[in-house]
Amino acid sequence: MSAPSELLELFRCGSCQVSYLPTDGPCPHCGATARERHTVPALGTVLAATELLSPATGWPSPHRLALVELPGSVRLLAIVEGELPSVGAVVSVRRDGAIYRAGSEPAAAGIERGEGESPRVGATDPSFEPPR
Ligand SMILES: [Zn+2]
């Protein structure tokens, strides 16, 4: 596996030094508002993953979600693109507006919601095929 080229932006609290996901609010750990931005490699470890076969209206089925831990012990819930990852697997993570998406391969970054029709913006390997 090659080194990831993607980075994710995090905040680091200026008071307690904890890293957290970018937010308009204060530090979720101590409430301080002082913070600085930093980036980490956009790769995380899957702590848990699940598959919803009857998701809420508007979401594709199956709808796969993973709890992913980034460097610095920052955890987030991500929509899984492709196969459901196993616990302990390393996945690529990218921010897509207000949500995060996880892919089984770094090259999968850039797949839009709604499988099939959307172009793969940002894919680095045009021959990449997600595993079945
Ligand atoms: Zn803090």
Side-chain angles (χ1 to χ4, degrees):
M1 182 182 297
S2 60
S5 57
E6 301 295 324
L7 296 171
L8 274 181
E9 183 178 83
L10 299 178
F11 285 167
R12 180 181 292 114
C13 177
S15 179
C16 73
Q17 304 300 311
V18 163
S19 291
Y20 56 97
L21 298 174
T23 174
D24 292 333
C27 171
H29 298 272
C30 76
T33 55
R35 62 198 179 195
E36 62 182 18
R37 297 169 188 271
H38 70 289
T39 56
V40 295
L43 291 175
T45 303
V46 174
L47 301 179
T50 191
E51 182 175 73
L52 305 177
L53 298 179
S54 298
T57 303
W59 294 97
S61 178
H63 186 49
R64 301 181 177 109
L65 298 168
L67 179 64
V68 178
E69 186 170 88
L70 301 173
S73 300
V74 175
R75 295 177 177 184
L76 57 83
L77 195 61
I79 295 172
V80 173
E81 295 169 331
E83 295 296 305
L84 193 67
S86 55
V87 171
V90 174
V91 293
S92 62
V93 178
R94 68 185 176 89
R95 188 173 182 179
D96 183 5
I99 62 175
Y100 288 87
R101 297 182 183 277
S104 57
E105 299 279 345
I111 297 175
E112 300 294 327
R113 176 165 58 142
E115 302 177 62
E117 297 181 23
S118 300
R120 280 205 189 128
V121 179
T124 55
D125 179 2
S127 66
F128 171 77
E129 291 293 333
R132 292 290 168 191

